[in-house]
Amino acid sequence: MPRQSFHVTVEKDRPLSYIGVVTQHRPSIGFHLILLLVALSSAHSQDVSISLSPQIDTLSSRLLRNPDDRALQLRLIDAYTLSFNPELALLELLNAEGQGKLIREGVGIKGTVQLSLEQTSAAFSSLAQSYLASPSDETLFLIAIVEYARGERQRGYWEMSRLKPRIADLSVKLLGLYERFYLNGRRVVARAILSALQDVDPVAYGTYFPAPQISILSPNDNVATEASQVSVVCEVRHSRPVQTVRVGGTTVYDKGEWKGGSANEGFNQSYTTLVSVLEGRNPVIVHVTDIFGNETRDTVIVNGMNFNLLASWESPLVDTLRKGLQYLRNYVPDSILVTGRRNAARALIIAGSVSADSADSFDRGLFLHEFFTHPVSGIVPQANTKILVKNRVEEHTMRMVLDDWLLKGATFQNVTSVYWSGDWRITEGHWLLRDLRGGWIEMKVYADRLRSLATAGVVLMVDGVIDNRPLFEAELRTLVETAAIPFEVVILPRGGTWPADWSRAVMNPAAAAGASDGDYLTTPEIQRWIPGSIVIRGGNPAIPIAKNPAALIAGTSRRMISLLTQKLAKEKIDDATRRRVMAFSNDWRRFHEVARYLGNQFSISDFVIRVDEYQRRAGGGQ
Amino acid sequence: MMGIARALRIMVLLSLTVLTIRAQNAVYLQGLFVGSDGTAKKEAPGAEEGLEAFHNEFLQAMGLRSRGNTVLALSSIAEKSAHDRIAALLVSTDSNDVAVVVALGAWEKDSKRVELSALSSIHPDRMTLDYLLNLILFLPVRTMSVFVLAPPRYQFPLDMFREQRPGIGGGGKYLVVIQPKGQSDYEAAVDDLHDLLEKTGDGGSGDRNKDGMLSFTEWMMLFERLSTPEFTVLSYRITESPDIQLKQLH
C-alpha cells in the first residue's frame, strides 16, 4: 500500500500554507484533517460570522464566479471542514452531489464531515465505502476512530494495532486530532480518540491524560464511630476539567453538560460531606470523573457502631427486672437509689447463639445489659455499653467491636465488664466462640490483650455451652494469676437459670438485710448467690461492676433504724409505744415515714398516730 | 487457466449445497468476487468469459438474485479497478444478504508487513490482505464467507490470522483458506472435493437434515471436512452472528 509523505512548512499564514499543500498534493480527507492539526492550530478560535476567514471568503467568491469548478468546490469543502464548520461543509457537499460533481472523492469527504458532526453510523458507511474504493491508511485511521466512537472498541483496536507500525507518529496524530475535536466540543469523538490513544500508546495517554487525584483527609481508614453521620473531608486535584465528584453516593460537584472549552483548566477543590453511617462496615467511595472519562476512586471504610436497642428487643427477664426495680423506687426515693458515678465503667455483652437455648442466651444478654445500665442498678452509661445479640453476633461485627471498641477504648479510668456467651470450643490456648454463621472466633487473644490495656480492672463473665469446662477454668485461672491488673472471672453455670438467683439477690432488701453486702455488686457476691458459678480472682480488692439495690436499701434502712433508736430514746414515750414504732419502722418500705420523722417533718405524736393507723389497718401497706 | 476453471467448477459444486436462504422474499447474493491468478489478459484468452459464465451459473444454481451489484472482479484482467465496484456494494447491501467472496490466485508476500501482502495483479489497485480483512469487517452483512484458493507455490500468508479463533462456531463471517501442498495434490484434492460434495447430495451419506435444510454453520463445516494432509482447509471466524438456514434446491 503506497504511503504518503508530506513536509509542511508553516508560514506566517498557516491556513493558507495548508491550502497550498492541499492544492499541490491533494491528499486524502483523513490526511487533510490531521494536517490541519499542524497548520491550523488557531483556526478554532475563529468566530462564526458572515466572514469565516479570508481563505474561505476567497474560495467562495471564486466559486461563485466559476460554479462548475469541481476542484474549487472540493477545496472549499475542505476549508469548511478544517475550520470546523462541518455544517457548512455538508451543505456544500450536498450541493455538489446534487450537481453530480463528486463521485469518488465525495464519499470520503462526506465521511469526514459526518465524523465532525459526530454522525458516527453515517460516517462509518461513508468512510468504509471510501476505503474500499480507494484504500488508504488515513481513511482507515478515521474509520478506526469511528469504530471507537460507535462503541466497537475491539474492532477499533484491531484496526489501530495494524496501523500502528504503518503510521510512525500515530500517537501524535491521535493527540492532535483529539485536541481539535475537544476544543470544538465534540465529546463523543474526542472520547473515542482518547480510548484509541489509551489502547495504542498507554504511556502517552498516562502522560497527557493523568487520572484525577483524590486525598481523603478525614476520617482515617477503618475508623470506628458511634455517630450516625460522619464528615468526609476530601481534596480533589486534577490538571484537567473535572466532570463529577461523588462522595458516598452523593454528587457534590457536577460540571453539567460539556460544550467544549479549555482542556487545561485545572481543578483543585476540597469537599466536606456528611455521610450516614449505618451499623457495621460502611465503605465510603469518593469517585471523580473528568470530562474525558478518566476516573479515580478512593474508598475509606467507616465502621458504624451506633447500636440502638430496638423497641422489639424485649425479654421476659428484662421485663421482670424493670418491674422489680420500679417496685423498689416506689418505696425508696431516687435520691437514695440513683446515685454514684455512672461514667466509671463500661460493658460489653456478646450473647451468641447457643444451639439448644438460643432464646435464653438472648434474654440473659439483655438482662445483663439492662441491669448494668439501669439508673437504679447500673453504673455504666448507655453510651459505654455495647451489646451484640442475634444477628449482630457475626464475625465482622464482633471483631470490629472487640478491636475498635473493647481494646482501643480501654483506659485506666474505666472498669470493664465483659459478658461472653455462646457455644464455646475450648482447646489448649484457644477459646473459640461460635458466631451466627457457624464460624469460630478466637476470644483468648482479646482477653490476653485486655489484661494489659484495661488497667482499671476487668470482670469477665463467660456463659453458654462450654465443651471443656475444666480446661476453660484452668486457662482462665492462669490468665487471672498472671494478670498485672485487677482481673476477675466468673464462669456462670450451664442452664441459664442464674438470672433468677441474681434478681432475687439484688432486688429483695429484706433478704439482704442480714447480709453485709456493700452498695456495689462484686464477684464474690455473685458466687454466693448463684449456685454452680465459679469466681476466679486475685488478691486485689473486689471490682464493683454494678450497684446492689437490695444491699443499698438494706444498709440505708439499718442506718435509719439506728438513728431512729437514738432519737426515740430521747422522746418521752412509753416502752410499748417505742416497740410499736420500732416494729413498724423495721420494714424497709417505711423509708418515707421514718425519714420524715428523722428529718423533723413529723413530731413523735404524729409518727405514733401513723403507726397506730397502720396497725389498725390489718395488713395495711402490705 | 485450467486451474482456475477447475477451481471454479468446485465452487459451483459448493454452491449447489448452499442454495438459498429460507425466507419469504427473494434472496440476494452480494459480492461474488473472484480474484486473479496473476495472468495477464492477453495470456489468458477466454478467461474473462469463462468467469462470467461461472458467475451466471453460480447465481442460477443457488436460486439467488442479484441486485445488479454482484461483481465479477478480475483485477488483473479487467481494465478497471475492482475497488470501485466493491465499494459500490455497501450502498445496496442489506444485512440479511449472504456474501460469498472467492479470492482465487497467487499471493505476493510482503515479509515486512504481512498484512500488506497482496493478490498478484497487474492493476495498481491491489487486493491486500488488509483490504480483504477490512472488506470482511465493513461489508454490512451478517453472514459471509471468504474463500481463498491459492496455488501451491504462492500461498496465502496465514501469519496475520494465527491469533484469530480457528474453527466453525456458528453464524458470522468466515475466512476459509484452501491450500494444496503440491500441484498433484491440488488436482487430487479437487477430485476428492468433488466426490465429497456429491456424496452430501441426495444420494450421499452427508448429514443434511431430512427437510433438506442446512444451517450456515453446517455448510461451513462441510468445507472443513475437506481437509486432508495434502489439502489443508483452514477456517477462521472473524465475527459472530446468529446462524441462518440454507436450503438445497437440487
Side-chain angles (χ1 to χ4, degrees):
Chain A
M1 191 166 291
R3 295 178 60 196
Q4 290 165 315
S5 171
F6 295 95
H7 298 282
V8 179
T9 307
V10 181
E11 297 166 3
K12 281 181 186 175
D13 192 341
R14 299 172 88 192
L16 202 58
S17 73
Y18 168 73
I19 298 294
V21 171
V22 171
T23 315
Q24 285 171 26
H25 300 281
R26 204 178 282 172
S28 72
I29 284 303
F31 184 73
H32 286 190
L33 196 56
I34 296 159
L35 196 61
L36 168 81
L37 309 171
V38 182
L40 274 183
S41 60
S42 61
H44 66 275
S45 60
Q46 293 167 342
D47 293 329
V48 177
S49 62
I50 295 172
S51 175
L52 291 172
S53 73
Q55 290 72 40
I56 290 175
D57 291 349
T58 309
L59 284 168
S60 290
S61 58
R62 281 175 61 191
L63 191 62
L64 277 173
R65 286 196 297 275
N66 303 296
D68 294 329
D69 191 334
R70 182 168 157 271
L72 205 57
Q73 196 154 23
L74 272 175
R75 283 173 55 193
L76 182 60
I77 293 168
D78 269 349
Y80 279 141
T81 308
L82 300 172
S83 62
F84 238 90
N85 286 298
E87 295 85 354
L88 292 174
L90 199 58
L91 278 175
E92 197 61 43
L93 186 68
L94 291 171
N95 183 31
E97 279 188 338
Q99 293 171 13
K101 284 190 210 164
L102 302 178
I103 303 168
R104 191 164 176 168
E105 303 92 333
V107 68
I109 297 169
K110 192 198 277 182
T112 311
V113 173
Q114 285 162 333
L115 177 62
S116 305
L117 287 167
E118 298 196 321
Q119 297 170 353
T120 51
S121 292
F124 178 77
S125 282
S126 302
L127 289 169
Q129 197 181 353
S130 168
Y131 170 82
L132 291 178
S134 177
S136 75
D137 284 356
E138 284 72 27
T139 311
L140 207 53
F141 172 73
L142 294 180
I143 289 173
I145 288 169
V146 174
E147 293 278 32
Y148 275 97
R150 294 168 80 203
E152 298 273 2
R153 187 162 185 156
Q154 183 58 41
R155 286 173 62 165
Y157 174 68
W158 205 356
E159 300 293 353
M160 281 292 179
S161 57
R162 293 207 309 279
L163 285 172
K164 194 176 174 182
R166 307 210 294 257
I167 302 177
D169 54 349
L170 186 62
S171 304
V172 177
K173 282 192 158 98
L174 281 168
L175 275 168
L177 201 59
Y178 157 74
E179 188 177 353
R180 181 147 188 75
F181 276 86
Y182 171 78
L183 290 174
N184 285 282
R186 307 298 188 198
R187 188 180 192 138
V188 175
V189 176
R191 283 190 173 167
I193 296 168
L194 280 192
S195 299
L197 182 65
Q198 205 169 3
D199 287 346
V200 168
D201 193 345
V203 176
Y205 179 83
T207 308
Y208 289 98
F209 302 97
Q213 291 184 342
I214 300 170
S215 306
I216 299 178
L217 306 175
S218 168
N220 291 330
D221 196 23
N222 227 12
V223 72
T225 177
E226 293 173 43
S228 59
Q229 286 186 314
V230 68
S231 274
V232 177
V233 183
C234 62
E235 212 172 81
V236 178
R237 290 177 307 281
H238 195 26
S239 53
R240 298 299 178 108
V242 165
Q243 181 65 47
T244 56
V245 178
R246 291 168 68 82
V247 179
T250 308
T251 304
V252 295
Y253 173 81
D254 192 347
K255 190 179 171 63
E257 193 183 348
W258 177 61
K259 292 172 179 167
S262 169
N264 297 317
E265 189 183 303
F267 190 89
N268 191 353
Q269 286 286 326
S270 295
Y271 296 99
T272 304
T273 314
L274 270 181
V275 176
S276 293
V277 179
L278 302 174
E279 177 194 323
R281 195 167 184 266
N282 294 267
V284 181
I285 301 168
V286 180
H287 184 205
V288 180
T289 53
D290 69 10
I291 56 169
F292 314 121
N294 290 318
E295 59 177 23
T296 308
R297 52 181 74 210
D298 199 359
T299 307
V300 61
I301 303 288
V302 179
N303 293 307
M305 301 207 301
N306 48 339
F307 307 118
N308 293 311
L309 282 178
L310 302 176
S312 59
W313 281 22
E314 292 294 345
S315 98
L317 293 180
V318 171
D319 205 30
T320 311
L321 180 67
R322 282 184 188 156
K323 279 182 184 163
L325 294 171
Q326 185 57 43
Y327 180 74
L328 299 181
R329 293 174 98 168
N330 289 340
Y331 294 96
V332 180
D334 281 357
S335 57
I336 302 293
L337 290 174
V338 186
T339 56
R341 288 179 62 198
R342 281 177 51 79
N343 59 351
R346 60 198 193 113
L348 168 65
I349 291 159
I350 299 177
S353 59
V354 177
S355 42
D357 52 356
S358 58
D360 282 355
S361 177
F362 170 74
D363 287 343
R364 295 198 299 270
L366 256 60
F367 169 82
L368 272 186
H369 180 269
E370 184 69 18
F371 188 80
F372 283 148
T373 57
H374 195 281
V376 173
S377 57
I379 58 170
V380 185
Q382 283 271 2
N384 280 9
T385 319
K386 288 283 166 279
I387 175 164
L388 303 183
V389 290
K390 289 192 171 174
N391 57 334
R392 287 176 181 154
V393 186
E394 173 272 326
E395 180 168 3
H396 181 265
T397 311
M398 282 172 72
R399 291 205 186 284
M400 191 175 80
V401 170
L402 289 164
D403 284 321
D404 292 332
W405 187 83
L406 183 69
L407 296 182
K408 285 186 185 169
T411 67
F412 63 91
Q413 291 173 314
N414 290 350
V415 168
T416 304
S417 300
V418 180
Y419 173 75
W420 289 341
S421 174
D423 277 337
W424 289 94
R425 184 186 286 174
I426 308 298
T427 54
E428 204 163 323
H430 298 286
W431 310 344
L432 303 175
L433 185 63
R434 200 165 66 115
D435 82 343
L436 175 77
R437 298 194 176 90
W440 294 92
I441 295 143
E442 175 62 85
M443 304 298 281
K444 185 172 190 297
V445 61
Y446 294 105
D448 277 341
R449 290 176 63 191
L450 210 52
R451 273 190 320 172
S452 57
L453 294 171
T455 48
V458 177
V459 175
L460 170 63
M461 289 177 272
V462 293
D463 193 13
V465 178
I466 302 166
D467 70 342
N468 192 342
R469 277 185 177 258
L471 179 61
F472 201 11
E473 187 184 335
E475 294 252 328
L476 287 166
R477 210 169 280 285
T478 308
L479 185 80
V480 170
E481 284 166 2
T482 55
I485 63 161
F487 201 112
E488 298 177 4
V489 171
V490 179
I491 305 173
L492 289 160
R494 187 176 178 180
T497 56
W498 58 262
D501 301 322
W502 184 301
S503 292
R504 269 196 298 275
V506 298
M507 286 195 292
N508 187 357
S516 57
D517 294 341
D519 294 348
Y520 288 93
L521 179 65
T522 56
T523 54
E525 287 156 11
I526 294 175
Q527 188 172 27
R528 187 150 47 79
W529 304 330
I530 302 175
S533 62
I534 300 165
V535 171
I536 307 164
R537 50 190 296 269
N540 292 308
I543 303 167
I545 56 174
K547 285 189 279 192
N548 183 345
L552 176 70
I553 292 170
T556 306
S557 193
R558 272 198 303 274
R559 285 191 292 279
M560 286 176 77
I561 295 296
S562 168
L563 290 172
L564 180 66
T565 309
Q566 291 170 25
K567 192 167 180 181
L568 283 178
K570 296 172 189 168
E571 300 284 3
K572 292 177 180 173
I573 50 172
D574 57 26
D575 285 349
T577 307
R578 187 174 291 112
R579 279 196 297 277
R580 271 204 332 274
V581 171
M582 286 305 291
F584 169 82
S585 305
N586 261 330
D587 191 328
W588 65 274
R589 289 171 295 184
R590 308 293 165 248
F591 178 90
H592 286 294
E593 286 81 355
V594 177
R596 289 168 88 176
Y597 168 67
L598 290 174
N600 296 324
Q601 290 175 8
F602 285 163
S603 65
I604 183 63
S605 51
D606 292 339
F607 194 25
V608 171
I609 289 168
R610 283 180 178 271
V611 171
D612 288 343
E613 276 178 7
Y614 166 77
Q615 286 185 330
R616 271 201 300 275
R617 297 200 318 264
Q622 291 291 336
Chain B
M1 286 306 295
M2 278 305 290
I4 290 182
R6 191 119 190 207
L8 289 177
R9 197 160 59 83
I10 297 169
M11 296 314 298
V12 173
L13 287 168
L14 292 178
S15 72
L16 295 178
T17 69
V18 179
L19 310 180
T20 182
I21 304 168
R22 182 202 282 173
Q24 295 295 323
N25 301 320
V27 177
Y28 293 92
L29 171 72
Q30 291 288 2
L32 173 64
F33 313 131
V34 182
S36 84
D37 64 350
T39 315
K41 185 180 179 182
K42 57 184 179 182
E43 294 167 7
E48 197 167 3
E49 291 77 9
L51 286 168
E52 192 161 353
F54 161 69
H55 166 253
N56 295 335
E57 195 178 348
F58 189 88
L59 277 180
Q60 195 180 358
M62 293 176 77
L64 300 176
R65 294 188 190 178
S66 163
R67 287 196 178 96
N69 291 308
T70 38
V71 177
L72 189 58
L74 286 168
S75 56
S76 68
I77 298 170
E79 296 294 333
K80 53 191 173 185
S81 165
H83 289 161
D84 269 343
R85 303 206 42 196
I86 289 172
L89 265 183
L90 271 81
V91 181
S92 61
T93 303
D94 184 77
S95 65
N96 290 321
D97 294 343
V98 174
V100 177
V101 175
V102 183
L104 187 67
W107 287 83
E108 293 171 0
K109 193 168 180 180
D110 185 326
S111 53
K112 284 187 180 175
R113 298 256 185 273
V114 178
E115 77 271 20
L116 298 183
S117 303
L119 199 62
S120 182
S121 164
I122 58 167
H123 196 281
D125 285 356
R126 286 152 57 85
M127 186 98 65
T128 62
L129 205 54
D130 205 41
Y131 182 90
L132 197 64
L133 180 61
N134 285 322
L135 168 64
I136 296 172
L137 292 173
F138 297 164
L139 202 64
V141 293
R142 287 196 288 266
T143 310
M144 182 176 187
S145 299
V146 175
F147 294 98
V148 174
L149 276 84
R153 289 174 56 197
Y154 304 97
Q155 293 203 336
F156 181 76
L158 283 167
D159 318 35
M160 195 175 141
F161 295 93
R162 292 279 180 220
E163 291 176 8
Q164 296 294 319
R165 262 172 312 167
I168 304 297
K173 296 183 180 182
Y174 289 92
L175 174 73
V176 182
V177 183
I178 303 173
Q179 296 197 138
K181 287 189 175 167
Q183 192 60 38
S184 58
D185 296 333
Y186 181 72
E187 301 291 338
V190 168
D191 290 339
D192 289 348
L193 188 64
H194 185 274
D195 290 348
L196 176 68
L197 290 170
E198 279 198 328
K199 281 178 187 170
T200 59
D202 286 342
S205 58
D207 28 358
R208 189 163 294 121
N209 298 335
K210 283 179 186 173
D211 61 355
M213 301 299 294
L214 268 181
S215 74
F216 178 77
T217 308
E218 288 170 326
W219 179 64
M220 292 295 293
M221 285 167 77
L222 279 175
F223 292 96
E224 279 208 327
R225 283 171 48 186
L226 297 177
S227 197
T228 63
E230 296 77 27
F231 196 79
T232 313
V233 178
L234 298 162
S235 61
Y236 298 96
R237 194 180 191 192
I238 310 298
T239 66
E240 293 177 24
S241 69
D243 208 357
I244 59 162
Q245 294 285 323
L246 306 168
K247 187 179 181 184
Q248 183 191 14
L249 284 183
H250 303 287

